């Protein structure tokens, strides 16, 4: 059953840069508001298929609140910052910039994400593993 009370972050599970940011969210999610699934997982593939999104394109981050909304790219990044709150909420104020300025910057980072971070294996704690959907 899908937990409708949590925000779901869907990301490229084979990307070191993406995994770095998942780790960052885990460490800053003091209110336990997020669950995670790689786009390559069964859950991720089902999410993409149900919305008619490309199933083998993993360059976009998705933030999904079941029964409410899903956001992509810079919208997802800024919403995550707002949800985490505190000093990170300041980042969310950049969402006032128009998408035609924000998303090309997001796409540039996405295109070069493999180069931006060395592949590293993060091993979530047993408590953090409960937040990952398969």
């Amino acid at each position: 059953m899908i937990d409708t009370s949590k925000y779901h972050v869907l990301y490229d599970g084979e990307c070191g840069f993406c995994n770095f940011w998942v780790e960052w969210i885990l460490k800053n999610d003091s209110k336990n508001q997020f669950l995670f699934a790689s786009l390559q997982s069964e859950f991720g593939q089902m999410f993409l298929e149900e919305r008619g999104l490309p199933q083998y394109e993993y360059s976009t981050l998705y933030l999904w609140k079941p029964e409410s909304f899903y956001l992509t790219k810079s919208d997802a990044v800024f919403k995550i910052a707002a949800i985490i709150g505190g000093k990170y909420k300041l980042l969310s104020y950049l969402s006032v910039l128009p998408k035609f300025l924000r998303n090309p910057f997001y796409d540039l980072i996405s295109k070069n994400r493999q180069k931006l971070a060395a592949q590293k294996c993060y091993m979530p704690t047993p408590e953090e593993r409960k937040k990952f959907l398969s």
Side-chain angles (χ1 to χ4, degrees), residues 13-30:
E14 296 176 358
C15 168
F17 187 74
C18 303
N19 283 295
F20 169 85
W21 288 107
V22 166
E23 181 181 351
W24 182 87
I25 295 169
L26 280 167
K27 288 182 178 182
N28 289 285
D29 181 20
S30 61

Side-chain angles (χ1 to χ4, degrees), residues 65-128:
K65 177 75 170 185
E67 300 178 7
S68 296
F69 65 84
Y70 79 90
L71 301 172
T72 63
K73 299 187 177 190
S74 62
D75 287 333
V77 170
F78 295 139
K79 183 69 174 179
I80 290 168
I83 294 164
I84 289 175
K87 62 186 175 189
Y88 304 110
K89 187 169 183 159
L90 294 174
L91 179 62
S92 72
Y93 298 147
L94 292 174
S95 66
V96 300
L97 295 172
K99 283 186 187 185
F100 74 85
L101 294 175
R102 292 186 279 132
N103 282 342
F105 182 71
Y106 178 95
D107 291 337
L108 179 66
I109 290 172
S110 177
K111 182 179 177 182
N112 294 290
R113 68 189 188 280
Q114 297 290 351
K115 298 173 193 170
L116 292 172
Q119 289 284 346
K120 70 173 194 166
C121 291
Y122 172 69
M123 293 302 295
T125 66
E127 195 60 34
E128 290 172 337

Side-chain angles (χ1 to χ4, degrees), residues 19-71:
N19 283 295
F20 169 85
W21 288 107
V22 166
E23 181 181 351
W24 182 87
I25 295 169
L26 280 167
K27 288 182 178 182
N28 289 285
D29 181 20
S30 61
K31 296 177 187 168
N32 192 28
Q33 301 178 88
F34 294 94
L35 296 173
F36 304 88
S38 76
L39 290 166
Q40 293 90 338
S41 71
E42 184 179 331
F43 186 93
Q45 287 294 295
M46 181 181 69
F47 173 87
L48 295 171
E49 182 179 0
E50 286 175 353
R51 287 154 188 81
L53 298 166
Q55 289 184 267
Y56 301 102
E57 174 57 47
Y58 308 126
S59 63
T60 298
L61 172 74
Y62 296 91
L63 177 65
W64 178 44
K65 177 75 170 185
E67 300 178 7
S68 296
F69 65 84
Y70 79 90
L71 301 172

